[in-house]
Amino acid sequence: MPPKIIGLGLRGLQFFWTLLIMALVGNMIHEAIGGNPSIVNYVMFVAVISMLSLFYLIAATISEGFVIIPILPVVVDGLNTLFFLIGGIALAAYLGVHSCGNIPYVTTNSVTSGSIDETKRCHEGQAVCAFLWFGFLTYLASLAFSAMEARGGSTSFRGGIRRGGPSMSQV
């Protein structure tokens, strides 16, 4: 039972981070003047793919009846982990980790410029970057749980009992 509770907790956190990312990036896109850089659009893609895949992953975590192929949750978790990792690295590289109070930085950075309130857009971009990393960590943890589950349901924390071999009554 504990792995199911942990799995649902991880899925809930993934939903939370994805929702925050989608809301902040959606606001960045809405308030843009003259378009957005490609990294902003990629991060929105990551959030949409994550949200769509969570519909399946949450159902698969609640009931094994929704798992069509045992390896499918591992593949979906792996892809989401990779997408979040790439998004976190790329957005951090585009932002360049400066203070949002530094006006020359805010007006010349490709992610933060292009809005009426560039300082607000800078804060949103930095928050999205942090949430991408939090989402990456939760997807990495659930990838480990999904992989253990696909290998035969060995996610129980009891340990010590060997499965698959003959028991003493069969010897």
mmCIF file of all heavy atoms in Angstrom, residues 100-119:
data_model
loop_
_atom_site.group_PDB
_atom_site.id
_atom_site.type_symbol
_atom_site.label_atom_id
_atom_site.label_comp_id
_atom_site.label_asym_id
_atom_site.label_seq_id
_atom_site.Cartn_x
_atom_site.Cartn_y
_atom_site.Cartn_z
ATOM 1 N N CYS A 100 16.238 40.314 -11.544
ATOM 2 C CA CYS A 100 15.164 40.964 -12.298
ATOM 3 C C CYS A 100 15.111 42.459 -12.032
ATOM 4 O O CYS A 100 14.402 43.187 -12.715
ATOM 5 C CB CYS A 100 13.818 40.321 -11.971
ATOM 6 S SG CYS A 100 13.685 38.634 -12.569
ATOM 7 N N GLY A 101 15.865 42.945 -11.057
ATOM 8 C CA GLY A 101 15.965 44.371 -10.800
ATOM 9 C C GLY A 101 17.003 45.048 -11.685
ATOM 10 O O GLY A 101 17.090 46.276 -11.728
ATOM 11 N N ASN A 102 17.798 44.261 -12.396
ATOM 12 C CA ASN A 102 18.824 44.778 -13.297
ATOM 13 C C ASN A 102 18.153 45.161 -14.618
ATOM 14 O O ASN A 102 17.927 44.320 -15.484
ATOM 15 C CB ASN A 102 19.900 43.714 -13.501
ATOM 16 C CG ASN A 102 21.049 44.164 -14.348
ATOM 17 O OD1 ASN A 102 21.065 45.281 -14.865
ATOM 18 N ND2 ASN A 102 22.039 43.290 -14.484
ATOM 19 N N ILE A 103 17.839 46.440 -14.774
ATOM 20 C CA ILE A 103 17.066 46.912 -15.929
ATOM 21 C C ILE A 103 17.776 46.643 -17.263
ATOM 22 O O ILE A 103 17.118 46.202 -18.218
ATOM 23 C CB ILE A 103 16.702 48.406 -15.765
ATOM 24 C CG1 ILE A 103 15.867 48.608 -14.498
ATOM 25 C CG2 ILE A 103 15.965 48.937 -16.985
ATOM 26 C CD1 ILE A 103 14.579 47.811 -14.445
ATOM 27 N N PRO A 104 19.087 46.868 -17.396
ATOM 28 C CA PRO A 104 19.714 46.544 -18.686
ATOM 29 C C PRO A 104 19.591 45.062 -19.064
ATOM 30 O O PRO A 104 19.398 44.724 -20.230
ATOM 31 C CB PRO A 104 21.186 46.942 -18.489
ATOM 32 C CG PRO A 104 21.163 47.961 -17.410
ATOM 33 C CD PRO A 104 20.026 47.583 -16.516
ATOM 34 N N TYR A 105 19.674 44.172 -18.077
ATOM 35 C CA TYR A 105 19.498 42.743 -18.339
ATOM 36 C C TYR A 105 18.068 42.445 -18.783
ATOM 37 O O TYR A 105 17.835 41.731 -19.757
ATOM 38 C CB TYR A 105 19.847 41.918 -17.097
ATOM 39 C CG TYR A 105 19.227 40.539 -17.089
ATOM 40 C CD1 TYR A 105 19.697 39.544 -17.928
ATOM 41 C CD2 TYR A 105 18.153 40.246 -16.250
ATOM 42 C CE1 TYR A 105 19.118 38.287 -17.939
ATOM 43 C CE2 TYR A 105 17.571 38.993 -16.250
ATOM 44 C CZ TYR A 105 18.059 38.014 -17.098
ATOM 45 O OH TYR A 105 17.479 36.775 -17.108
ATOM 46 N N VAL A 106 17.095 42.980 -18.058
ATOM 47 C CA VAL A 106 15.685 42.683 -18.327
ATOM 48 C C VAL A 106 15.278 43.162 -19.715
ATOM 49 O O VAL A 106 14.524 42.490 -20.420
ATOM 50 C CB VAL A 106 14.791 43.307 -17.225
ATOM 51 C CG1 VAL A 106 13.324 43.200 -17.571
ATOM 52 C CG2 VAL A 106 15.042 42.635 -15.895
ATOM 53 N N THR A 107 15.791 44.313 -20.136
ATOM 54 C CA THR A 107 15.387 44.861 -21.434
ATOM 55 C C THR A 107 16.104 44.213 -22.609
ATOM 56 O O THR A 107 15.621 44.299 -23.734
ATOM 57 C CB THR A 107 15.623 46.384 -21.477
ATOM 58 O OG1 THR A 107 16.997 46.655 -21.188
ATOM 59 C CG2 THR A 107 14.724 47.090 -20.485
ATOM 60 N N THR A 108 17.241 43.548 -22.361
ATOM 61 C CA THR A 108 17.985 42.943 -23.474
ATOM 62 C C THR A 108 17.841 41.425 -23.549
ATOM 63 O O THR A 108 18.191 40.836 -24.564
ATOM 64 C CB THR A 108 19.484 43.294 -23.376
ATOM 65 O OG1 THR A 108 19.995 42.831 -22.122
ATOM 66 C CG2 THR A 108 19.697 44.784 -23.511
ATOM 67 N N ASN A 109 17.350 40.785 -22.502
ATOM 68 C CA ASN A 109 17.206 39.328 -22.519
ATOM 69 C C ASN A 109 16.038 38.937 -23.418
ATOM 70 O O ASN A 109 14.974 39.548 -23.366
ATOM 71 C CB ASN A 109 16.981 38.803 -21.097
ATOM 72 C CG ASN A 109 16.958 37.303 -21.021
ATOM 73 O OD1 ASN A 109 15.986 36.677 -21.415
ATOM 74 N ND2 ASN A 109 18.044 36.730 -20.528
ATOM 75 N N SER A 110 16.227 37.888 -24.217
ATOM 76 C CA SER A 110 15.187 37.499 -25.174
ATOM 77 C C SER A 110 13.930 36.955 -24.505
ATOM 78 O O SER A 110 12.839 37.079 -25.054
ATOM 79 C CB SER A 110 15.739 36.464 -26.159
ATOM 80 O OG SER A 110 16.062 35.264 -25.479
ATOM 81 N N VAL A 111 14.056 36.371 -23.331
ATOM 82 C CA VAL A 111 12.885 35.817 -22.648
ATOM 83 C C VAL A 111 12.124 36.906 -21.913
ATOM 84 O O VAL A 111 10.890 36.955 -21.954
ATOM 85 C CB VAL A 111 13.295 34.695 -21.662
ATOM 86 C CG1 VAL A 111 12.105 34.187 -20.877
ATOM 87 C CG2 VAL A 111 13.957 33.554 -22.403
ATOM 88 N N THR A 112 12.842 37.798 -21.263
ATOM 89 C CA THR A 112 12.182 38.782 -20.414
ATOM 90 C C THR A 112 11.701 40.008 -21.176
ATOM 91 O O THR A 112 10.747 40.658 -20.754
ATOM 92 C CB THR A 112 13.128 39.234 -19.287
ATOM 93 O OG1 THR A 112 14.305 39.811 -19.869
ATOM 94 C CG2 THR A 112 13.509 38.067 -18.412
ATOM 95 N N SER A 113 12.338 40.352 -22.270
ATOM 96 C CA SER A 113 11.894 41.522 -23.018
ATOM 97 C C SER A 113 10.694 41.159 -23.889
ATOM 98 O O SER A 113 10.449 39.995 -24.170
ATOM 99 C CB SER A 113 13.026 42.066 -23.894
ATOM 100 O OG SER A 113 13.390 41.115 -24.869
ATOM 101 N N GLY A 114 9.968 42.142 -24.304
ATOM 102 C CA GLY A 114 8.819 41.887 -25.161
ATOM 103 C C GLY A 114 7.504 41.900 -24.422
ATOM 104 O O GLY A 114 6.542 41.275 -24.837
ATOM 105 N N SER A 115 7.469 42.616 -23.300
ATOM 106 C CA SER A 115 6.244 42.731 -22.521
ATOM 107 C C SER A 115 6.162 44.151 -21.981
ATOM 108 O O SER A 115 7.168 44.856 -21.894
ATOM 109 C CB SER A 115 6.263 41.735 -21.371
ATOM 110 O OG SER A 115 5.140 41.897 -20.541
ATOM 111 N N ILE A 116 4.965 44.572 -21.626
ATOM 112 C CA ILE A 116 4.812 45.900 -21.033
ATOM 113 C C ILE A 116 5.525 45.951 -19.685
ATOM 114 O O ILE A 116 6.227 46.896 -19.377
ATOM 115 C CB ILE A 116 3.313 46.251 -20.889
ATOM 116 C CG1 ILE A 116 2.694 46.371 -22.278
ATOM 117 C CG2 ILE A 116 3.122 47.522 -20.090
ATOM 118 C CD1 ILE A 116 1.186 46.513 -22.280
ATOM 119 N N ASP A 117 5.351 44.904 -18.881
ATOM 120 C CA ASP A 117 6.001 44.818 -17.570
ATOM 121 C C ASP A 117 7.090 43.748 -17.655
ATOM 122 O O ASP A 117 6.846 42.572 -17.363
ATOM 123 C CB ASP A 117 4.962 44.490 -16.500
ATOM 124 C CG ASP A 117 5.501 44.618 -15.092
ATOM 125 O OD1 ASP A 117 6.700 44.942 -14.937
ATOM 126 O OD2 ASP A 117 4.723 44.406 -14.151
ATOM 127 N N GLU A 118 8.284 44.164 -18.048
ATOM 128 C CA GLU A 118 9.373 43.202 -18.261
ATOM 129 C C GLU A 118 9.887 42.609 -16.968
ATOM 130 O O GLU A 118 10.351 41.463 -16.941
ATOM 131 C CB GLU A 118 10.497 43.873 -19.048
ATOM 132 C CG GLU A 118 10.076 44.196 -20.473
ATOM 133 C CD GLU A 118 11.113 45.002 -21.233
ATOM 134 O OE1 GLU A 118 11.955 45.652 -20.588
ATOM 135 O OE2 GLU A 118 11.069 44.974 -22.472
ATOM 136 N N THR A 119 9.829 43.360 -15.880
ATOM 137 C CA THR A 119 10.265 42.821 -14.588
ATOM 138 C C THR A 119 9.346 41.687 -14.143
ATOM 139 O O THR A 119 9.821 40.656 -13.647
ATOM 140 C CB THR A 119 10.287 43.942 -13.529
ATOM 141 O OG1 THR A 119 11.116 45.006 -14.004
ATOM 142 C CG2 THR A 119 10.836 43.448 -12.220
#
